[in-house]
Amino acid sequence: MDVPLHSAAPLGATEPPGATEPDLVTLGIDVGGSHIKAALVAPDGALLTNYERVVTPLGRKPDVVVDTISALVAPLGRFDRVSVGFPGATREGTVLTAPNLGNDLWHGFKLAERLAARLTRPVRLANDATVQGLGAIAGRGLECTITLGTGMGFALFTDGKPAPHLEMGQHNAHKRYSYDQYIGHAALIRDGVKKWNKHVLRTVDALRVLVNFDLLYIGGGNVTAINFALPADVHLVSNETGITGGVRLWDGVFRRRA
């Protein structure tokens, strides 16, 4: 798998001396609209530690988030490289949009570079739905991932390779609502579980027409609220994939699942 253009190590970052790829431990960080999670991941994608989790400091300057991440990962132990899933559009280690964190504060922020300097390890950055998808997909055909959390994340893959990022959560879903507003967390609270599930199912149907996916994976914190019968081409995935998928940002070759 080629690393997507929006997932890049900062200039000057190098692999730790003496480490080889089979031995490298990845620190996976999942930045969400409500919480930031982190854990250490083995080269095969297995979790080496339990999650550490902290409330996301919304509305604060990005450097406060960097400080928060640094404090969060301190107890986890040794790691060789870092992957970060971020809820917005990113390119070459830089944040372009952050709809649920405060766009104006984040636009142009070199998050990968700042974290690499703080954590003294190379960092790669991608959209959080892309990272979650990398932890879930089989690597065959056209696969799609959506995440149900504060908003709706979206990622698309062809034979394991991520497509250019689309901010589908900001696209119009129904009447005046974007998909973030239609099936995000505020919609679940506003509309209740029954109506929210209808909206999620309508979204699945709309995405099937739009992208003609072979398989769709649904993850995120609100996936536990889904109560409709899943079509054969739709699978629910664990929140762990938002962390474990970070290993594949560093893999030179996509390792297909059996």
Side-chain angles (χ1 to χ4, degrees):
M1 181 201 79
D2 294 331
V3 174
L5 290 178
H6 52 279
S7 300
L11 293 175
T14 58
E15 300 290 2
T20 59
E21 185 173 341
D23 302 321
L24 295 175
V25 173
T26 302
L27 168 63
I29 299 170
D30 184 5
V31 180
S34 59
H35 292 88
I36 301 172
K37 300 184 289 292
L40 299 186
V41 188
D44 64 357
L47 285 177
L48 296 173
T49 64
N50 293 326
Y51 285 122
E52 294 288 339
R53 190 174 84 152
V54 68
V55 174
T56 304
L58 295 176
R60 306 290 296 277
K61 293 181 178 180
D63 279 325
V64 174
V65 175
V66 172
D67 292 341
T68 301
I69 291 173
S70 180
L72 174 68
V73 306
L76 291 175
R78 184 194 67 80
F79 53 90
D80 302 298
R81 58 192 187 181
V82 183
S83 66
V84 183
F86 186 84
T90 70
R91 186 172 297 141
E92 297 183 355
T94 299
V95 175
L96 303 180
T97 66
N100 296 305
L101 298 184
N103 267 320
D104 293 341
L105 292 172
W106 281 95
H107 180 70
F109 186 74
K110 297 182 182 301
L111 180 57
E113 183 178 311
R114 296 291 186 90
L115 280 174
R118 179 63 64 88
L119 302 177
T120 66
R121 292 294 185 271
V123 176
R124 288 186 175 176
L125 176 69
N127 173 263
D128 56 350
T130 297
V131 176
Q132 182 145 55
L134 289 172
I137 62 175
R140 295 182 291 269
L142 189 65
E143 298 175 284
C144 184
T145 301
I146 62 173
T147 58
L148 302 177
T150 303
M152 185 198 84
F154 173 88
L156 194 62
F157 305 83
T158 302
D159 291 331
K161 182 177 180 179
H165 176 65
L166 299 175
E167 277 289 79
M168 190 64 73
Q170 304 306 300
H171 187 71
N172 182 261
H174 180 71
K175 295 183 178 179
R176 67 184 186 278
Y177 295 126
S178 67
Y179 280 104
D180 272 7
Q181 297 164 333
Y182 191 56
I183 58 172
H185 186 71
L188 176 59
I189 301 302
R190 179 190 69 226
D191 297 331
V193 172
K194 183 177 180 180
K195 187 174 182 180
W196 179 84
N197 269 272
K198 289 181 179 179
H199 291 173
V200 173
L201 187 55
R202 288 174 185 168
T203 299
V204 169
D205 291 339
L207 290 175
R208 183 181 287 108
V209 172
L210 178 65
V211 304
N212 290 292
F213 55 76
D214 294 308
L215 289 172
L216 170 69
Y217 304 88
I218 307 178
N222 285 334
V223 74
T224 55
I226 290 179
N227 60 19
F228 56 82
L230 294 175
D233 57 356
V234 178
H235 302 285
L236 305 185
V237 297
S238 165
N239 261 347
E240 288 184 1
T241 55
I243 296 288
T244 60
V247 172
R248 284 176 167 165
L249 286 180
W250 288 96
D251 286 347
V253 178
F254 187 90
R255 297 186 176 95
R256 288 183 176 177
R257 298 176 187 271

